[in-house]
């Protein structure tokens, strides 16, 4: 063996190997590649019963032996194969580089030629009728003009297939011949807006397309081109993007089929509520969002300066709705409500769409019947709409409208159910902070009458029951000041939460205190100054009725209906702790 000695230990890891016994190289192949005539010595493996290998720092030449002939031959063969592969790769690189260069030149020539191709509208053909996708069923075999966004795009030799989206639906567009030879055709990208003129044709038997028809184009043009490459729409957002990126780019996420379908279902649900309330003779009103009184508790108020006077964003429009009863009868509103709860759960929003109603001359049973009737009426309406029903079945396959009557469960019975099923709550200290044991695990205990049932326990209960549940009769100390007490059991209220599987509470309501003295005592008990509430208190002085009402979180109802994991998906631009953009 010729050349200077180099030492190798394939099991050793040295940051800066030099080939000495204490700093051996790791690879024989690497040495032969760089120094083919090196004299290679490899570490001696200890025989059975011998002590293990010495630490690197203690090794000498005696701990190594010349590499065996077989190992050397194998290493040289590997070097030889690697050299051939490298040469082949270099040769292929030259060929591939030339092919890429030729391709780029051909593409550039093609693009330059395409810039010369100009499409013109053929005036000899029938004048096209302007249309939207939802109108196309009656326009088969007619020449139409339609505009929209490129939702999907597939180009092949001589033909380009586009799925066009215009907000009312999807349409397959077919470009062929000269329509595919323009510069815009070669550089078209997803989310570009275009205008297309052509003849609407039924798709051939065995083929499929949205609406079972396609537009065979004879003219088209780009109205607004979307970026391609790194800035292309599909590189910006997709269903697997990080949630924070999806939130930042909500304006683009809304272009996706799932997000847009949720918004369409949302619109249909709100419209259906208005239809149901119209049939019930419940009148829509629009209360203010800027207020100087609280409804649910000061800790969740968003405060702001109103011309030098403290004011708040409303938590609920209930108090204002009550003032309408005497003049307008039963009323409702669809209004944004605001809660400054620092809750990052999947069912909390800082701003949400609050559907609230107030009803006069009713009792508690009437209130529950009304809520059930309204929700079931809405479900019937949206399921009767083929387009919305298809969205519901796509997002929540197998959805079945709830059976009636809804289950009614008294709070005390719910506490017993939780104890019987060993569903516990985490203990809290006097400040409301969670208590943990020394090992870091939560300190748990059974629910007791008087407890505010924990959200997780409540949801587990309703998920187990797997039906809508009217949970009624809550303790007065955990409910709002205006809620009416249960006659004969004044420590509890005629209050209700409607709980839905997978989501939990979607409705909260109660009968309202109708007696003036009782309301004044409620103010005092809560430490509330009654003076700013004079306009509300007057309802108890000028012909008070037995009244009740409720608030429904639209996003929570949609999360249940459409099987969404979080209510954020059901808001156009969700606002929650730390998020107020875009």
């Amino acid at each position: 063996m010729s050349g200077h000695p180099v030492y190798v230990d394939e099991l050793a890891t040295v940051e800066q190997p030099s080939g000495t016994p204490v700093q051996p190289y790791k690879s024989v192949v690497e040495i032969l590649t760089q120094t083919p005539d090196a004299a290679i010595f490899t570490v001696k493996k200890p025989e059975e019963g011998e002590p293990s290998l010495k630490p690197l720092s203690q090794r000498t030449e005696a701990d190594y032996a010349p590499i065996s002939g077989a190992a050397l031959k194998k290493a040289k063969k590997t070097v030889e194969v690697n050299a051939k592969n490298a040469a082949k790769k270099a040769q292929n690189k030259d060929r591939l580089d030339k092919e890429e260069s030729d391709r780029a030149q051909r593409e550039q020539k093609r693009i330059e030629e395409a810039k010369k191709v100009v499409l013109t509208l053929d005036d000899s053909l029938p004048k096209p009728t302007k249309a939207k996708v939802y109108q196309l069923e009656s326009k088969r075999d007619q020449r139409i003009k339609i505009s929209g966004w490129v939702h999907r795009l597939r180009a092949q030799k001589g033909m380009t297939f586009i799925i066009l989206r215009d907000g009312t639906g999807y349409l397959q567009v077919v470009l062929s011949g000269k329509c595919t030879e323009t510069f815009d055709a070669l550089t078209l990208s997803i989310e570009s807006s275009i205008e297309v003129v052509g003849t609407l044709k039924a798709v051939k038997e065995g083929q499929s397309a949205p609406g079972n028809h396609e537009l065979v184009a004879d003219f088209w043009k780009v109205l607004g081109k979307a970026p391609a490459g790194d800035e292309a729409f599909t590189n910006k957002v997709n269903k697997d993007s990080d949630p924070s990126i999806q939130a930042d780019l909500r304006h683009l996420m809304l272009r996706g089929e799932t997000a847009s379908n949720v918004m369409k279902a949302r619109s249909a649900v709100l419209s259906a509520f208005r239809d149901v309330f119209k049939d019930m003779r419940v009148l829509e009103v629009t209360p203010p969002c800027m207020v100087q009184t609280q409804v649910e508790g000061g800790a969740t108020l968003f405060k702001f300066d109103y011309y030098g006077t403290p004011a708040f964003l409303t938590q609920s429009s209930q108090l204002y709705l009550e003032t309408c009863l005497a003049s307008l009868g039963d009323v409702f509103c669809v209004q944004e409500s605001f809660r400054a709860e620092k809750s990052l759960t999947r069912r909390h929003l800082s701003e949400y769409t609050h559907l609230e109603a107030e009803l006069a001359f009713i009792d508690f049973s009437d209130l529950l019947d009304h809520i059930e009737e309204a929700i079931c009426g809405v479900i019937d309406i949206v399921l009767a709409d083929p387009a919305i029903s298809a969205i519901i079945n796509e997002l929540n396959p197998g959805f079945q409208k709830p059976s009636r009557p809804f289950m009614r469960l008294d709070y005390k019975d719910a506490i017993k159910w939780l104890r019987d099923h060993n569903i516990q709550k985490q203990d809290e200290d006097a400040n409301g902070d969670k208590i943990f044991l020394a090992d870091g695990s939560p300190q748990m205990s059974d629910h007791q009458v008087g407890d505010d049932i924990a959200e997780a326990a409540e949801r587990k209960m309703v998920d187990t029951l797997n039906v809508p549940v009217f949970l009624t009769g809550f303790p007065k100390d955990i409910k709002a000041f205006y809620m009416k007490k249960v006659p004969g059991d004044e420590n509890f209220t005629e209050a209700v939460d409607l709980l839905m599987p997978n989501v939990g509470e979607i409705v909260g309501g109660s009968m309202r205190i109708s007696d003036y003295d009782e309301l004044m005592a409620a103010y005092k008990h809560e430490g509330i100054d009654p003076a700013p509430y004079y306009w509300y208190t007057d309802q108890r002085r000028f012909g008070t009725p037995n009244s009740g009402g409720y608030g429904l979180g639209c996003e929570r109802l949609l999360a249940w209906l459409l099987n969404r994991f979080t209510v954020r998906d059901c808001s156009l631009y969700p606002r929650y702790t730390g998020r107020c953009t875009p």
Side-chain angles (χ1 to χ4, degrees):
M1 183 179 296
S2 61
H4 67 278
V6 179
Y7 298 88
V8 177
D9 183 351
E10 294 182 344
L11 299 179
T13 300
V14 180
E15 287 188 9
Q16 295 181 326
S18 60
T20 64
V22 296
Q23 290 183 309
Y25 285 109
K26 191 177 182 68
S27 169
V28 173
V29 170
E30 181 181 357
I31 295 168
L32 292 177
T33 301
Q34 299 173 4
T35 313
D37 63 343
I40 299 174
F41 293 80
T42 58
V43 68
K44 295 177 181 177
K45 301 294 187 290
E47 299 291 337
E48 187 175 350
E50 290 184 358
S52 59
L53 291 173
K54 289 181 183 178
L56 285 173
S57 60
Q58 298 177 14
R59 291 188 191 173
T60 66
E61 291 87 343
D63 296 304
Y64 295 82
I67 188 171
S68 69
L72 182 61
K73 183 178 180 181
K74 181 179 179 182
K76 286 183 176 181
K77 182 65 176 177
T78 301
V79 170
E80 183 182 337
V81 170
N82 289 346
K84 288 181 178 178
N85 288 341
K88 187 176 181 181
K89 186 176 181 180
Q91 185 179 12
N92 286 342
K93 183 179 184 303
D94 292 340
R95 177 178 58 81
L96 293 174
D97 286 347
K98 185 176 185 307
E99 289 179 358
E100 177 62 23
S101 176
D102 291 345
R103 188 201 65 77
Q105 289 178 19
R106 288 196 304 271
E107 185 65 20
Q108 185 59 39
K109 183 178 179 181
R110 184 183 176 209
I111 288 174
E112 292 302 320
E113 290 296 321
K115 290 179 180 179
K116 302 174 185 177
V117 179
V118 178
L119 293 180
T120 56
L121 198 59
D122 190 341
D123 293 331
S124 67
L125 297 174
K127 185 177 179 180
T129 302
K130 192 173 183 179
K132 293 276 191 179
V133 171
Y134 78 95
Q135 301 169 321
L136 297 183
E137 190 65 35
S138 63
K139 298 186 182 298
R140 297 268 180 94
D141 298 317
Q142 296 181 30
R143 193 162 181 257
I144 65 168
K145 177 170 71 175
I146 193 165
S147 301
W149 290 265
V150 177
H151 189 65
R152 285 197 290 272
L153 176 65
R154 177 168 58 91
Q156 59 188 54
K157 189 173 183 180
M159 297 189 79
T160 299
F161 294 90
I162 297 169
I163 298 298
L164 190 74
R165 181 188 75 242
D166 75 347
T168 71
Y170 300 89
L171 170 67
Q172 180 165 286
V173 175
V174 181
L175 307 181
S176 60
K178 195 175 180 181
C179 285
T180 67
E181 297 170 3
T182 66
F183 175 76
D184 282 338
L186 298 185
T187 58
L188 188 62
S189 53
I190 287 176
E191 291 305 321
S192 296
S193 58
I194 63 174
E195 178 184 282
V196 187
V197 176
T199 304
L200 189 68
K201 296 285 188 181
V203 295
K204 296 178 181 178
E205 188 174 348
Q207 297 179 344
S208 63
N212 291 318
H213 44 226
E214 61 187 13
L215 183 62
V216 180
D218 56 66
F219 173 82
W220 74 285
K221 64 180 179 179
V222 172
L223 303 176
K225 185 167 288 187
D230 292 342
E231 287 296 306
F233 178 82
T234 50
N235 290 331
K236 298 282 282 184
V237 291
N238 57 65
K239 64 182 179 64
D240 298 319
S241 299
D242 184 271
S244 64
I245 294 175
Q246 292 185 359
D248 287 339
L249 300 178
R250 179 68 174 167
H251 60 292
L252 297 180
M253 289 296 296
L254 287 168
R255 299 187 180 205
E257 291 180 36
T258 296
S260 62
N261 279 340
V262 170
M263 291 303 108
K264 290 174 184 176
R266 177 189 170 101
S267 175
V269 164
L270 291 176
S271 177
F273 266 114
R274 288 187 165 96
D275 290 343
V276 167
F277 284 137
K278 184 177 181 180
D279 290 342
M280 290 179 165
R281 300 302 295 271
V282 183
L283 187 72
E284 184 171 9
V285 294
T286 52
C289 282
M290 296 184 290
V291 301
Q292 291 184 306
T293 52
Q294 65 187 53
V295 180
E296 299 296 338
T300 65
L301 286 167
F302 282 108
K303 188 176 182 179
F304 66 97
D305 181 272
Y306 187 72
Y307 302 110
T309 302
F312 311 99
L313 295 177
T314 185
Q315 302 161 313
S316 167
S317 299
Q318 174 211 316
L319 305 189
Y320 293 96
L321 293 179
E322 286 192 50
T323 69
C324 298
L325 293 175
S327 58
L328 302 176
D330 298 341
V331 289
F332 80 99
C333 70
V334 180
Q335 187 74 281
E336 298 306 291
S337 283
F338 305 85
R339 301 287 173 90
E341 295 177 83
K342 293 185 177 179
S343 299
L344 278 171
T345 75
R346 61 189 179 98
R347 55 189 289 250
H348 280 92
L349 290 169
S350 298
E351 176 185 8
Y352 65 98
T353 302
H354 206 178
L355 189 148
E356 299 181 86
E358 288 294 319
L359 314 169
F361 304 110
I362 63 169
D363 60 24
F364 190 47
S365 181
D366 293 333
L367 176 63
L368 301 187
D369 289 343
H370 168 93
I371 295 171
E372 182 178 310
E373 182 69 29
I375 289 176
C376 290
V378 166
I379 299 302
D380 287 341
I381 289 173
V382 296
L383 289 180
D385 182 326
I388 304 303
S389 180
I391 288 174
I392 293 171
N393 287 325
E394 179 181 341
L395 298 178
N396 191 5
F399 173 79
Q400 297 291 326
K401 62 182 180 181
S403 58
R404 303 177 61 185
F406 292 174
M407 180 179 180
R408 301 187 181 190
L409 180 65
D410 184 78
Y411 164 85
K412 296 171 192 173
D413 294 330
I415 294 293
K416 182 178 184 302
W417 190 97
L418 292 169
R419 292 172 67 92
D420 290 345
H421 290 78
N422 196 34
I423 298 175
Q424 297 184 312
K425 63 180 178 66
Q426 185 173 359
D427 293 333
E428 298 179 350
D429 60 24
N431 297 320
D433 296 325
K434 303 291 187 184
I435 299 175
F436 293 88
L437 299 174
D439 63 0
S441 60
Q443 180 174 302
M444 308 294 289
S445 63
D446 289 334
H447 286 84
Q448 305 293 332
V449 172
D451 290 341
D452 189 359
I453 298 175
E455 177 187 318
E458 183 180 80
R459 198 164 61 243
K460 188 170 184 179
M461 178 178 70
V462 72
D463 286 353
T464 302
L465 296 171
N466 200 32
V467 292
V469 176
F470 278 133
L471 185 58
T472 63
F474 296 90
K476 65 180 180 63
D477 291 335
I478 63 173
K479 284 298 180 180
F481 72 91
Y482 52 76
M483 293 187 176
K484 189 172 184 177
K485 312 301 183 292
V486 175
D489 197 1
E490 278 73 18
N491 286 323
F492 298 87
T493 57
E494 287 191 324
V496 59
D497 285 352
L498 175 58
L499 312 177
M500 287 295 194
N502 257 353
V503 177
E505 177 195 347
I506 67 166
V507 174
S510 76
M511 296 298 292
R512 314 311 192 190
I513 292 175
S514 58
D515 181 78
Y516 175 85
D517 292 333
E518 186 180 349
L519 180 58
M520 295 302 291
Y523 288 138
K524 184 176 180 180
H525 181 268
E526 294 295 325
I528 296 174
D529 179 6
Y533 293 84
Y534 72 93
W535 51 274
Y536 178 70
T537 309
D538 270 358
Q539 306 307 308
R540 276 67 185 170
R541 298 177 61 237
F542 291 86
T544 185
N546 287 324
S547 66
Y550 60 92
L552 177 146
C554 294
E555 289 82 6
R556 290 188 182 183
L557 175 67
L558 286 162
W560 165 72
L561 177 65
L562 304 176
N563 193 31
R564 298 297 89 195
F565 176 74
T566 171
V567 294
R568 298 174 191 177
D569 292 344
C570 304
S571 175
L572 187 67
Y573 284 96
R575 300 294 187 246
Y576 48 92
T577 304
R579 169 66 60 178
C580 198
T581 55

